[in-house]
Amino acid sequence: MTDASPDAALGGANREGESPRTDTPVETTEETTVHEGDVELERTIGLRGGLAIGVGTMIGAGIFVFPGIAAGEAGPAAAASFALGAVVALLVALPASELATAMPRSGGGYYFISRAMGTAFGAVVGVSLWLGLVFASAFYLVGFGEYAVAVLAEVGAPRPELVVPLALVFGVAFTVLNVTGTENAAALQNYVVGLLLGILVAFLLYGGADAVGLVGEPSAPETFAPFGYTPVLTTAALVFTSYLGFAQVATVAGEIKDPGRNLPLAMVGSVLIVGAMYVATIFVATSAFGSAALSQFGETAMVEVARYFFGAPGAIVILLAGLLATVSSANASILSTSRAVYATSRDAILPQWASRVNLRYGTPHVALGMAGGPILVLIAVGEVELLAEVASFLHLVMYGLICVALILLRRNPPAWYDPDFVVPGGPAIPLVGAAASFGLIVFMQPLSQLVGIAIMVGAVGWYFYYARDVTLKGAL
């Protein structure tokens, strides 16, 4: 760990009328002095770990849930929906990369927006990001339970009602894992994502060869957009949940080694890798069955595609890959949720005791509890699919504001603003990124929009009740 003062590394805040926090040393070694209340997290995550967080969070629902649903909505043009989602994500990943190299601190989008646009915007984004990640994490963990039960069914084993119990057990396990050290969570993420990518690449290579007739029988050609092109946009809004993971890299920016190089590579690289795999997956899946037949399989479409290529063993392997995908998504989301809580509490937008760091493991254990606890409650309730969609709404709002934040900081840059990576093209990319992010929200379901707006209104209420007197300090 490194020494940090309230006015320096993490840019903390004080509530008006309160005494500033003291810098009392509580532990001294030859290398560092750790201060109570003002501790910067260790930089233990390299480029591979950053890519694993981004890819591991994104490569869940996009490949294992959406192909059948998206094919039913847009036909083979669902591939264009995934490609459009990747383009929107890239338009945000580039501005986020510039901001992250200028402010490589935990909190990601919250931190960027609060320093560029002030406490009110920061409070709304910070609280919304925390809750959005909680809902998404619960969704991933319930998905894990469902895949685990499906594996039992595939091999003919008894399958009692284990979905919620398995989700709860693994939710606790991932929270504890993250408490014991970020490097432990990152190591798990690296292994899981590496194995998952190996399975998917092999599957897609064979499926691609089958689709073009190199093996098996050539597939019959199909109209690319049988329902027209408007469904391409509505389906892009539906599947954009698949691209939330790149922003999770920014939430752990304070723990990334060599952030000037690794943050842009991890964020942009994860979008490119996952976007290419999504498009390839839709191509392979619709070539195997045709979009109409594929849509009949719903959320289990990829299992049936694997069964078509490889029989029962292929179905089991894809089910196991689904388990790995939900594990990696849940693990990365819990890590990111805790860092969102950590950053907002450091700024006193949430109670400052939530930013305490465990001196043994160097992790924000209280913030992890504030992440894991609500996740377990939502898992027990079980109705998390709508909340996961709302998470996409809240992230799109944050993505649009990230682009606005970059424009504002460039127009009147403070003395500390010195990014290692600069987005080319002046304001063009952040302007288009903001318009695309806010524009996708228009195509979401009205209920998701209403719930998302209600959460943001609640965050505004929290700001006026608790954080309106907070004075944010500089980013560096």
Side-chain angles (χ1 to χ4, degrees):
M1 295 179 214
T2 55
D3 187 11
S5 67
D7 297 316
L10 286 174
N14 291 323
R15 292 171 59 79
E16 192 172 295
E18 291 185 358
S19 300
R21 290 171 290 171
T22 59
D23 244 4
T24 305
V26 297
E27 179 181 322
T28 304
T29 68
E30 293 181 359
E31 296 180 355
T32 180
T33 301
V34 181
H35 294 276
E36 183 178 0
D38 290 293
V39 182
E40 185 176 348
L41 303 178
E42 293 179 294
R43 296 192 180 276
T44 58
I45 303 174
L47 175 59
R48 187 172 65 173
L51 282 169
I53 290 171
V55 173
T57 307
M58 288 190 283
I59 205 154
I63 282 183
F64 295 101
V65 176
F66 281 139
I69 298 172
E73 295 287 334
S81 300
F82 277 101
L84 178 60
V87 170
V88 174
L90 280 174
L91 289 170
V92 179
L94 288 168
S97 295
E98 177 173 331
L99 293 170
T101 60
M103 296 174 273
R105 298 291 180 259
S106 297
Y110 155 74
Y111 198 86
F112 309 151
I113 293 165
S114 64
R115 267 52 188 183
M117 303 177 70
T119 307
F121 281 97
V124 172
V125 171
V127 174
S128 299
L129 176 60
W130 169 31
L131 296 177
L133 288 170
V134 163
F135 299 146
S137 301
F139 177 74
Y140 296 140
L141 285 164
V142 172
F144 169 83
E146 291 173 344
Y147 270 104
V149 171
V151 170
L152 294 175
E154 189 70 28
V155 299
R159 46 173 184 164
E161 294 298 323
L162 290 176
V163 173
V164 170
L166 285 171
L168 289 170
V169 168
F170 277 82
V172 172
F174 292 145
T175 302
V176 172
L177 177 69
N178 279 277
V179 169
T180 60
T182 304
E183 64 273 18
N184 294 331
L188 173 66
Q189 196 73 5
N190 290 344
Y191 290 129
V192 169
V193 172
L195 180 57
L196 175 61
L197 288 178
I199 293 172
L200 289 176
V201 167
F203 170 80
L204 292 175
L205 286 175
Y206 184 88
D210 179 87
V212 299
L214 295 179
V215 297
E217 296 294 328
S219 58
E222 188 177 2
T223 303
F224 179 69
F227 312 119
Y229 286 94
T230 299
V232 174
L233 296 174
T234 56
T235 304
L238 170 68
V239 303
F240 192 77
T241 309
S242 307
Y243 290 103
L244 302 186
F246 78 89
Q248 318 308 38
V249 180
T251 65
V252 296
E255 295 156 272
I256 298 285
K257 301 174 185 175
D258 190 8
R261 170 184 177 272
N262 290 337
L263 278 170
L265 289 176
M267 283 194 278
V268 174
S270 61
V271 172
L272 292 174
I273 292 169
V274 173
M277 296 191 74
Y278 286 165
V279 173
T281 297
I282 293 295
F283 172 70
V284 167
T286 53
S287 297
F289 282 108
S291 58
L294 191 69
S295 67
Q296 299 301 311
F297 297 126
E299 296 179 0
T300 63
M302 290 308 296
V303 177
E304 299 309 316
V305 173
R307 195 190 310 277
Y308 170 80
F309 289 139
F310 306 110
I316 293 173
V317 169
I318 285 298
L319 282 169
L320 293 174
L323 284 175
L324 292 174
T326 50
V327 163
S328 64
S329 295
N331 182 54
S333 288
I334 289 173
L335 175 67
S336 299
T337 306
S338 67
R339 273 39 178 190
V341 174
Y342 174 82
T344 51
S345 62
R346 282 301 303 262
D347 285 344
I349 288 173
L350 292 175
Q352 289 185 301
W353 47 258
S355 65
R356 292 172 183 166
V357 173
N358 185 291
L359 297 180
R360 178 178 179 184
Y361 298 115
T363 55
H365 59 292
V366 177
L368 279 161
M370 292 177 66
I375 288 169
L376 297 180
V377 171
L378 287 177
I379 290 172
V381 172
E383 298 296 328
V384 296
E385 292 187 17
L386 175 63
L387 299 178
E389 190 174 32
V390 171
S392 181
F393 173 96
L394 296 173
H395 277 77
L396 281 168
V397 171
M398 182 182 71
Y399 292 167
L401 291 177
I402 284 174
C403 295
V404 173
L406 177 60
I407 295 170
L408 293 177
L409 283 172
R410 280 185 171 184
R411 179 175 298 178
N412 187 24
W416 49 260
Y417 190 76
D418 185 23
D420 293 325
F421 170 81
V422 177
V423 180
I429 289 178
L431 280 172
V432 176
S437 298
F438 295 136
L440 268 187
I441 293 174
V442 176
F443 295 96
M444 299 186 75
Q445 296 181 7
L447 182 57
S448 299
Q449 296 170 340
L450 288 174
V451 175
I453 291 170
I455 291 173
M456 295 181 67
V457 169
V460 172
W462 175 260
Y463 164 74
F464 281 106
Y465 168 73
Y466 184 84
R468 64 185 303 177
D469 294 330
V470 168
T471 301
L472 295 176
K473 299 192 176 179
L476 293 173

